[in-house]
Amino acid sequence: MNKYEILKRYFGYSQFREGQETLSDAILSGRDALGVMPTGAGKSLCYQIPALLLPGITIVISPLISLMKDQVQTLNQAGIHAAYINSSLTENQIAKALKLAARGTYKIIYAAPERLETYGFLEFARQAEISMLTVDEAHCISQWGQDFRPSYLKIVQFLRQLEKRPIVSAFTATATEHVREDIVCVLGLDQPEFLVTGFDRKNLYFAVETPRQKDRFVLDYIKAHPEDSGIIYCSTRKNVDALFEKMQDLSIPSARYHAGMGQEDRRQSQEDFVYDRCPVMAATNAFGMGIDKSNVRYVIHYNMPQSMENYYQEAGRAGRDGEGAECILLYSPQDVIINQFLIENKEENPEFTADELAAIRERDQERLRIMNYYCLTAKCLRAYILNYFGEQSLGDCQNCGNCRKEYEETDRTAEAMAIISCVREFRGRYGVNVTAGTLAGENRAKLREYGVAAYASYGSLKDLGEQRVKGLINQMLAEGYLAVTKDKYALLRLTGKSEEIAQGNQAFMVREVKEEFPQPAKSSASSASRRKSDILNSKGLELFDRLRGLRSEIAKREGMPPYIIFSDKTLVDMCIRLPFRREEMLEVNGVGEHKFEKYGEPFLEEIRTFTGERKEKLFFGEQEEAETRNQPGYSGRKRAKPGKSDFFLSREQAEQFPYAEKYLAPELAARLNELRDIDTVKKTSGAEIIRRSQERGLSEERLVDGMRRKFVTEKGEEAGLFLGTRISQKGTEYEDIYYDEEAQKMVLEWFVQ
């Protein structure tokens, strides 16, 4: 068999996703490989397919028992012989597994890194033909990573003890450039095929909310999404237990997971969640790394995580099937204090020197600050995440909480000057809280103790209030107009950019919310509705529910998670294609030959019974569009929720447009909205016009000296876009994009139906 036949026969797919074929080909040619691919992008196939084609055995190093079990179970269900070796097995079971592996029974062996230094495993590896060693969650091998595990260094020692070095491949979803370089260096990868497919998960919606009552927000959200599976992450066991009790009081089928529970209780909770008996899980970050549950529709962070790496990894457990999912972080300033405490009281690893421990604490503090800025930024959340991981974003994403708000540029230069003056007066003695309290004229005991009322800056920004002053300070920190010391005290410092503002050479413009859109928890379409209703009509949904019920029956009978039998996406594709025969079922995405032999006939029978063996259209749109939407990794814009249509104008309405010499995007949107049918058509926005302009290559946004600046491309100039000067309310000049009369005609055509 070749790689395409294996892809279809065992995994049920007719084409590779982005990056999979490149990495597979490199490995099959004998090269080392490093793949950085987002969660849900199909990293496992990159080494599993070569493992089946290479002559010997592939050893996969995995950090968690649950992760190994899940992967092996999935492979066995696909008809691939695999096994795991870890502490959950007895010594006799381990010996038997290694004996079978040596005979060639297993092509893939999963093992914990600690297992590599045991005598029995090393003897097995020396005698067997090891074609490849794969390191999963490879960021764990880097001391600069957020989840460094000293046990991963055993991999290097293991490789040195083999007579013949196998191909080495490594995969991770979250790694900054520094961590990627460390992986290559520590593992000794030899001129590896290096591929970063991108960190963007287009199917995920990101939002930061600041509710007064977090419990109420979470419970309301769960009640608004009753059919969906989700995870609520809390930073402490106490929060997990309290939230779990409230869900139990409301009869919400839920589970909990944290390190304070007994091993059997944790195992039962995990199974209840994976098998959909309890679709909602409240947990600390001890949960989830080994869970490959594909149908998690939302992840809510009850508390802010300690780092962007942790957040993106945990949030990334939503939407692994490529369908729409929501990632919502509930922020409060208290979260910073909790995380600061956790960092300061972190258990120290005796394998590190004092200097290394100091460096790790310093990096932890810096990661916490960056995470805090994420929660406070008014800019695109997706762009913030991508920029952190070294990937340049293409402007606002229109699929995050910030992009769904209407902003206006506000000149805060005078306020920034006042902040700079206060920091200069303090001469580096205080941090954000004391500085903000001083500028706001607060009179609490700590400030009186420091005697801040004697400073000239005291009360100079009293009208803004302490929280808004603190927000401005954090924005100045995020954009490099201020800095902090790299220790737990985070004392404020001036920078070269501070002087540019202080001397009047640089304006400080901030984005401030103009108009709030509805809260996702209360008014956005549920993830399930965005996921299915944009493809299936009412009868299609009825069939989908029947297929899902059949899947649950089979899963219960065989004692395995439903998603391992067939994913939701595969069931949707069945509803689109309506297969009546074996050949047709094998065309469904996610149905391989082995799975068809085990499960195909009952699903065919259910479809034939439901349809009376009559082909009919059970979905919206054209067949080609529906199939495209159901391809692996599809993340296009979603169909509007039934009700008002997305913004459009008829030709007659467009003819009434009031052309002018020039309009800004928000002004242009306002004129367009005046022409629509307000009862049946939603509003458009300046942000939507800017997004479409950027998509067409007419304009762009770039970071210049830490500030996001707007630019008109050559193509945009030809279309009638141009940069013009605006004057803020406080008299500061800045540039913005205008649309002349020709450009207005062009924009109008975008919306005419």
Side-chain angles (χ1 to χ4, degrees):
M1 284 193 295
N2 60 35
K3 60 186 178 183
Y4 300 109
E5 291 171 331
I6 287 176
L7 180 68
K8 183 59 186 173
R9 178 175 179 178
Y10 292 111
F11 301 100
Y13 297 115
S14 56
Q15 61 186 24
F16 285 97
R17 297 187 192 180
E18 181 187 0
Q20 288 179 330
E21 190 168 16
T22 300
L23 290 168
S24 295
D25 286 347
I27 293 169
L28 288 170
S29 70
R31 289 183 63 189
D32 289 350
L34 171 58
V36 182
M37 306 167 74
T39 303
K43 293 186 291 294
S44 300
L45 284 185
C46 297
Y47 64 81
Q48 288 170 350
I49 287 178
L52 297 179
L53 290 169
L54 291 170
I57 298 169
T58 291
I59 296 175
V60 182
I61 307 304
S62 187
L64 291 178
I65 291 173
S66 56
L67 183 59
M68 298 181 213
K69 286 182 176 179
D70 197 86
Q71 291 274 14
V72 169
Q73 190 174 31
T74 300
L75 288 170
N76 288 338
Q77 283 300 309
I80 298 168
H81 296 296
Y84 57 80
I85 308 293
N86 56 47
S87 59
S88 70
L89 304 179
T90 65
E91 289 302 318
N92 286 337
Q93 288 174 320
I94 291 172
K96 183 178 179 180
L98 291 178
K99 188 175 181 179
L100 290 172
R103 291 177 181 173
T105 303
Y106 303 124
K107 289 291 289 179
I108 304 175
I109 298 286
Y110 285 80
E114 294 83 359
R115 184 60 46 182
L116 301 180
E117 62 181 355
T118 63
Y119 175 80
F121 193 90
L122 186 58
E123 283 300 300
F124 152 75
R126 282 173 171 166
Q127 296 173 21
E129 183 182 5
I130 308 299
S131 297
M132 177 168 61
L133 185 138
T134 295
V135 183
D136 201 8
E137 306 294 343
H139 60 274
C140 294
I141 204 168
S142 170
Q143 291 189 24
W144 314 117
Q146 86 284 359
D147 195 24
F148 170 64
R149 298 184 182 215
S151 60
Y152 259 57
L153 296 177
K154 293 177 173 55
I155 298 170
V156 182
Q157 300 165 15
F158 174 76
L159 286 170
R160 290 172 182 160
Q161 296 180 72
L162 298 180
E163 291 184 13
K164 180 183 176 183
R165 180 186 184 276
I167 300 166
V168 179
S169 59
F171 298 89
T172 181
T174 53
T176 60
E177 185 175 357
H178 196 166
V179 172
R180 298 196 292 266
E181 292 172 354
D182 214 25
I183 292 170
V184 173
C185 181
V186 175
L187 280 176
L189 299 183
D190 183 17
Q191 297 182 321
E193 176 71 43
F194 176 51
L195 182 69
V196 180
T197 60
F199 292 91
D200 195 5
R201 297 278 307 281
K202 293 184 175 66
N203 62 312
L204 300 186
Y205 168 86
F206 294 97
V208 176
E209 305 290 345
T210 55
R212 291 185 178 180
Q213 294 180 298
K214 289 186 178 183
D215 289 348
R216 177 49 51 199
F217 182 100
V218 171
L219 296 173
D220 286 347
Y221 188 97
I222 293 170
K223 286 188 284 187
H225 301 75
E227 301 299 321
D228 292 345
S229 181
I231 304 171
I232 298 97
Y233 279 111
C234 305
S235 62
T236 66
R237 303 173 188 179
K238 181 180 177 182
N239 285 345
V240 169
D241 290 338
L243 187 60
F244 174 72
E245 288 177 11
K246 291 180 179 179
M247 290 192 290
Q248 292 294 294
D249 289 343
L250 293 173
S251 299
I252 295 172
S254 52
R256 61 177 166 174
Y257 190 105
H258 59 67
M261 298 166 57
Q263 184 174 349
E264 178 58 27
D265 289 339
R266 292 200 306 272
R267 185 198 64 77
Q268 186 62 53
S269 287
Q270 182 168 302
E271 284 195 1
D272 286 344
F273 179 68
V274 168
Y275 287 74
D276 285 335
R277 293 191 288 266
C278 294
V280 182
M281 172 67 79
T284 60
N285 61 7
F287 174 79
M289 192 171 182
I291 303 302
D292 197 25
K293 185 174 166 67
S294 63
N295 64 335
V296 175
R297 297 269 65 86
Y298 61 86
V299 170
I300 298 175
H301 277 80
Y302 190 90
N303 304 104
M304 180 187 76
Q306 289 183 19
S307 70
M308 185 58 67
E309 288 94 338
N310 286 345
Y311 177 65
Y312 205 46
Q313 189 174 71
E314 291 160 13
R317 284 158 195 155
R320 292 176 68 103
D321 54 6
E323 297 292 294
E326 296 185 342
C327 307
I328 301 173
L329 196 163
L330 308 184
Y331 175 76
S332 70
Q334 185 68 20
D335 294 337
V336 182
I337 298 171
I338 292 172
N339 280 315
Q340 186 72 51
F341 174 82
L342 293 174
I343 289 172
E344 291 173 9
N345 292 274
K346 192 175 184 180
E347 185 177 344
E348 296 185 348
N349 192 315
E351 297 186 31
F352 292 136
T353 66
D355 288 343
E356 286 175 329
L357 287 170
I360 290 171
R361 280 194 295 271
E362 184 177 303
R363 285 194 298 275
D364 287 344
Q365 297 285 354
E366 180 63 18
R367 287 192 179 105
L368 179 57
R369 282 190 283 273
I370 291 169
M371 191 69 238
N372 191 38
Y373 298 155
Y374 171 83
C375 298
L376 298 171
T377 185
K379 296 178 181 177
C380 174
L381 296 174
R382 189 183 309 277
Y384 188 102
I385 293 170
L386 297 181
N387 291 340
Y388 175 76
F389 287 110
E391 183 175 329
Q392 187 64 43
S393 64
L394 299 176
D396 293 349
C397 71
Q398 304 304 317
N399 191 32
C400 75
N402 286 0
C403 285
R404 289 180 57 174
K405 297 173 184 173
E406 198 74 39
Y407 290 94
E408 58 185 357
E409 294 280 343
T410 304
D411 184 355
R412 292 293 184 187
T413 307
E415 290 85 349
M417 286 181 171
I419 292 169
I420 290 168
S421 295
C422 186
V423 174
R424 183 176 284 117
E425 273 193 292
F426 283 164
R427 297 184 181 181
R429 288 194 292 268
Y430 303 116
V432 174
N433 292 333
V434 173
T435 303
T438 300
L439 288 161
E442 294 295 318
N443 190 35
R444 55 181 176 269
K446 192 172 185 179
L447 296 179
R448 290 197 301 272
E449 180 185 342
Y450 293 154
V452 299
Y455 288 94
S457 302
Y458 182 75
S460 59
L461 296 181
K462 188 174 184 177
D463 291 343
L464 281 183
E466 185 173 4
Q467 287 306 312
R468 293 188 68 186
V469 174
K470 195 177 292 185
L472 287 175
I473 293 173
N474 280 310
Q475 186 152 350
M476 291 176 72
L477 284 165
E479 296 183 11
Y481 290 104
L482 292 173
V484 292
T485 56
K486 294 183 177 181
D487 53 37
K488 66 179 181 179
Y489 302 107
L491 305 176
L492 285 171
R493 296 282 189 268
L494 299 180
T495 67
K497 293 180 71 173
S498 308
E499 293 305 314
E500 290 294 307
I501 291 180
Q503 294 171 15
N505 298 327
Q506 174 68 57
F508 183 61
M509 308 297 297
V510 299
R511 297 177 79 193
E512 295 184 346
V513 178
K514 182 178 181 182
E515 177 185 352
E516 289 280 359
F517 277 66
Q519 296 283 351
K522 296 182 180 178
S523 62
S524 70
S526 74
S527 300
S529 131
R530 289 201 315 271
R531 175 171 42 100
K532 294 173 295 193
S533 295
D534 63 333
I535 298 176
L536 303 180
N537 58 28
S538 58
K539 191 169 182 180
L541 283 174
E542 185 180 347
L543 175 59
F544 175 81
D545 286 337
R546 288 179 63 165
L547 294 179
R548 193 160 58 169
L550 173 61
R551 181 183 64 180
S552 295
E553 290 175 13
I554 295 173
K556 186 175 181 179
R557 184 171 66 244
E558 300 206 0
M560 67 177 58
Y563 65 84
I564 285 183
I565 295 172
F566 289 127
S567 70
D568 282 1
K569 179 168 280 190
T570 296
L571 298 187
V572 170
D573 205 29
M574 290 182 192
C575 297
I576 293 169
R577 297 177 186 271
L578 295 182
F580 298 151
R581 299 184 304 278
R582 179 181 185 276
E583 295 75 20
E584 293 175 325
M585 181 65 93
L586 288 173
E587 292 299 314
V588 172
N589 281 301
V591 181
E593 291 182 12
H594 186 79
K595 279 201 174 182
F596 177 81
E597 296 304 323
K598 292 195 71 173
Y599 309 118
E601 200 54 50
F603 284 87
L604 281 178
E605 183 60 32
E606 188 71 33
I607 293 169
R608 288 193 289 256
T609 301
F610 182 83
T611 61
E613 296 196 49
R614 293 190 304 273
K615 295 282 187 182
E616 55 184 311
K617 186 176 176 182
L618 303 185
F619 55 90
F620 296 113
E622 300 300 321
Q623 177 79 19
E624 181 178 353
E625 176 195 1
E627 291 177 7
T628 300
R629 285 172 177 265
N630 213 39
Q631 287 295 322
Y634 173 80
S635 55
R637 293 175 64 77
K638 303 296 182 183
R639 185 185 185 96
K641 186 180 179 181
K644 286 190 177 183
S645 302
D646 285 339
F647 179 82
F648 75 94
L649 294 175
S650 66
R651 181 62 62 184
E652 292 74 18
Q653 290 169 327
E655 290 173 355
Q656 301 175 44
F657 183 79
Y659 292 101
E661 180 182 349
K662 62 180 181 180
Y663 280 129
L664 293 164
E667 297 170 340
L668 184 50
R671 300 290 82 78
L672 291 169
N673 287 329
E674 291 170 356
L675 303 174
R676 71 190 170 98
D677 184 339
I678 62 174
D679 293 326
T680 60
V681 179
K682 296 177 182 178
K683 285 184 177 182
T684 189
S685 66
E688 175 65 13
I689 293 172
I690 292 170
R691 184 189 67 80
R692 294 192 180 209
S693 298
Q694 292 174 348
E695 277 186 350
R696 290 163 171 78
L698 307 177
S699 65
E700 58 185 27
E701 293 186 10
R702 298 197 297 267
L703 285 175
V704 179
D705 296 330
M707 289 288 287
R708 190 168 288 279
R709 304 294 189 193
K710 297 177 181 178
F711 294 90
V712 175
T713 65
E714 184 176 343
K715 183 179 178 181
E717 290 176 355
E718 293 174 359
L721 280 69
F722 64 94
L723 282 175
T725 301
R726 295 184 66 185
I727 308 293
S728 73
Q729 294 178 346
K730 297 188 178 180
T732 304
E733 291 188 359
Y734 65 99
E735 289 187 321
D736 208 340
I737 296 176
Y738 287 90
Y739 294 72
D740 69 10
E741 191 167 337
E742 285 303 311
Q744 293 163 34
K745 293 177 182 177
M746 172 188 67
V747 172
L748 198 60
E749 287 300 318
W750 295 346
F751 296 105
V752 171
Q753 292 185 6

PDB file of all heavy atoms in Angstrom, residues 498-509:
ATOM      1  N   SER A 498       8.815  56.301  25.940  1.00  0.00           N
ATOM      2  CA  SER A 498       8.169  57.203  26.911  1.00  0.00           C
ATOM      3  C   SER A 498       8.555  58.646  26.611  1.00  0.00           C
ATOM      4  O   SER A 498       7.724  59.562  26.666  1.00  0.00           O
ATOM      5  CB  SER A 498       8.604  56.857  28.344  1.00  0.00           C
ATOM      6  OG  SER A 498       8.428  55.507  28.636  1.00  0.00           O
ATOM      7  N   GLU A 499       9.840  58.850  26.300  1.00  0.00           N
ATOM      8  CA  GLU A 499      10.329  60.207  26.045  1.00  0.00           C
ATOM      9  C   GLU A 499       9.695  60.816  24.808  1.00  0.00           C
ATOM     10  O   GLU A 499       9.495  62.024  24.728  1.00  0.00           O
ATOM     11  CB  GLU A 499      11.860  60.189  25.913  1.00  0.00           C
ATOM     12  CG  GLU A 499      12.585  59.828  27.207  1.00  0.00           C
ATOM     13  CD  GLU A 499      12.173  60.743  28.362  1.00  0.00           C
ATOM     14  OE1 GLU A 499      12.123  61.978  28.165  1.00  0.00           O
ATOM     15  OE2 GLU A 499      11.874  60.217  29.449  1.00  0.00           O
ATOM     16  N   GLU A 500       9.389  59.964  23.815  1.00  0.00           N
ATOM     17  CA  GLU A 500       8.746  60.475  22.602  1.00  0.00           C
ATOM     18  C   GLU A 500       7.402  61.120  22.939  1.00  0.00           C
ATOM     19  O   GLU A 500       7.037  62.162  22.400  1.00  0.00           O
ATOM     20  CB  GLU A 500       8.541  59.330  21.598  1.00  0.00           C
ATOM     21  CG  GLU A 500       9.817  58.802  20.975  1.00  0.00           C
ATOM     22  CD  GLU A 500      10.483  59.849  20.089  1.00  0.00           C
ATOM     23  OE1 GLU A 500       9.809  60.398  19.201  1.00  0.00           O
ATOM     24  OE2 GLU A 500      11.679  60.124  20.302  1.00  0.00           O
ATOM     25  N   ILE A 501       6.654  60.485  23.851  1.00  0.00           N
ATOM     26  CA  ILE A 501       5.369  61.064  24.278  1.00  0.00           C
ATOM     27  C   ILE A 501       5.612  62.286  25.144  1.00  0.00           C
ATOM     28  O   ILE A 501       4.980  63.340  24.954  1.00  0.00           O
ATOM     29  CB  ILE A 501       4.534  60.015  25.045  1.00  0.00           C
ATOM     30  CG1 ILE A 501       4.058  58.913  24.098  1.00  0.00           C
ATOM     31  CG2 ILE A 501       3.332  60.672  25.732  1.00  0.00           C
ATOM     32  CD1 ILE A 501       3.227  57.838  24.761  1.00  0.00           C
ATOM     33  N   ALA A 502       6.527  62.170  26.104  1.00  0.00           N
ATOM     34  CA  ALA A 502       6.782  63.264  27.047  1.00  0.00           C
ATOM     35  C   ALA A 502       7.211  64.544  26.331  1.00  0.00           C
ATOM     36  O   ALA A 502       6.873  65.655  26.755  1.00  0.00           O
ATOM     37  CB  ALA A 502       7.848  62.836  28.057  1.00  0.00           C
ATOM     38  N   GLN A 503       7.941  64.404  25.222  1.00  0.00           N
ATOM     39  CA  GLN A 503       8.424  65.570  24.482  1.00  0.00           C
ATOM     40  C   GLN A 503       7.443  66.048  23.419  1.00  0.00           C
ATOM     41  O   GLN A 503       7.735  66.993  22.678  1.00  0.00           O
ATOM     42  CB  GLN A 503       9.765  65.225  23.827  1.00  0.00           C
ATOM     43  CG  GLN A 503      10.889  64.976  24.838  1.00  0.00           C
ATOM     44  CD  GLN A 503      12.147  64.438  24.188  1.00  0.00           C
ATOM     45  OE1 GLN A 503      12.302  64.504  22.966  1.00  0.00           O
ATOM     46  NE2 GLN A 503      13.052  63.905  25.008  1.00  0.00           N
ATOM     47  N   GLY A 504       6.278  65.399  23.348  1.00  0.00           N
ATOM     48  CA  GLY A 504       5.265  65.832  22.401  1.00  0.00           C
ATOM     49  C   GLY A 504       5.503  65.380  20.978  1.00  0.00           C
ATOM     50  O   GLY A 504       4.869  65.887  20.044  1.00  0.00           O
ATOM     51  N   ASN A 505       6.398  64.394  20.783  1.00  0.00           N
ATOM     52  CA  ASN A 505       6.707  63.915  19.427  1.00  0.00           C
ATOM     53  C   ASN A 505       5.878  62.703  19.019  1.00  0.00           C
ATOM     54  O   ASN A 505       5.970  62.246  17.889  1.00  0.00           O
ATOM     55  CB  ASN A 505       8.200  63.545  19.328  1.00  0.00           C
ATOM     56  CG  ASN A 505       9.094  64.744  19.574  1.00  0.00           C
ATOM     57  OD1 ASN A 505       8.747  65.863  19.228  1.00  0.00           O
ATOM     58  ND2 ASN A 505      10.245  64.492  20.199  1.00  0.00           N
ATOM     59  N   GLN A 506       5.102  62.171  19.937  1.00  0.00           N
ATOM     60  CA  GLN A 506       4.344  60.959  19.647  1.00  0.00           C
ATOM     61  C   GLN A 506       2.978  61.024  20.327  1.00  0.00           C
ATOM     62  O   GLN A 506       2.881  61.318  21.521  1.00  0.00           O
ATOM     63  CB  GLN A 506       5.103  59.728  20.150  1.00  0.00           C
ATOM     64  CG  GLN A 506       4.354  58.413  20.047  1.00  0.00           C
ATOM     65  CD  GLN A 506       4.147  57.983  18.612  1.00  0.00           C
ATOM     66  OE1 GLN A 506       5.099  57.845  17.867  1.00  0.00           O
ATOM     67  NE2 GLN A 506       2.899  57.805  18.210  1.00  0.00           N
ATOM     68  N   ALA A 507       1.927  60.782  19.551  1.00  0.00           N
ATOM     69  CA  ALA A 507       0.584  60.732  20.125  1.00  0.00           C
ATOM     70  C   ALA A 507       0.327  59.341  20.692  1.00  0.00           C
ATOM     71  O   ALA A 507       0.907  58.349  20.226  1.00  0.00           O
ATOM     72  CB  ALA A 507      -0.458  61.048  19.062  1.00  0.00           C
ATOM     73  N   PHE A 508      -0.515  59.240  21.698  1.00  0.00           N
ATOM     74  CA  PHE A 508      -0.897  57.952  22.266  1.00  0.00           C
ATOM     75  C   PHE A 508      -2.386  57.762  22.018  1.00  0.00           C
ATOM     76  O   PHE A 508      -3.232  58.327  22.699  1.00  0.00           O
ATOM     77  CB  PHE A 508      -0.588  57.902  23.762  1.00  0.00           C
ATOM     78  CG  PHE A 508      -0.895  56.563  24.387  1.00  0.00           C
ATOM     79  CD1 PHE A 508      -0.244  55.417  23.966  1.00  0.00           C
ATOM     80  CD2 PHE A 508      -1.834  56.451  25.405  1.00  0.00           C
ATOM     81  CE1 PHE A 508      -0.513  54.181  24.534  1.00  0.00           C
ATOM     82  CE2 PHE A 508      -2.117  55.223  25.979  1.00  0.00           C
ATOM     83  CZ  PHE A 508      -1.451  54.084  25.540  1.00  0.00           C
ATOM     84  N   MET A 509      -2.687  56.969  20.980  1.00  0.00           N
ATOM     85  CA  MET A 509      -4.067  56.721  20.584  1.00  0.00           C
ATOM     86  C   MET A 509      -4.493  55.347  21.103  1.00  0.00           C
ATOM     87  O   MET A 509      -3.731  54.371  21.003  1.00  0.00           O
ATOM     88  CB  MET A 509      -4.208  56.752  19.056  1.00  0.00           C
ATOM     89  CG  MET A 509      -3.645  58.002  18.400  1.00  0.00           C
ATOM     90  SD  MET A 509      -4.500  59.519  18.913  1.00  0.00           S
ATOM     91  CE  MET A 509      -6.142  59.197  18.291  1.00  0.00           C
TER      92      MET A 509
END
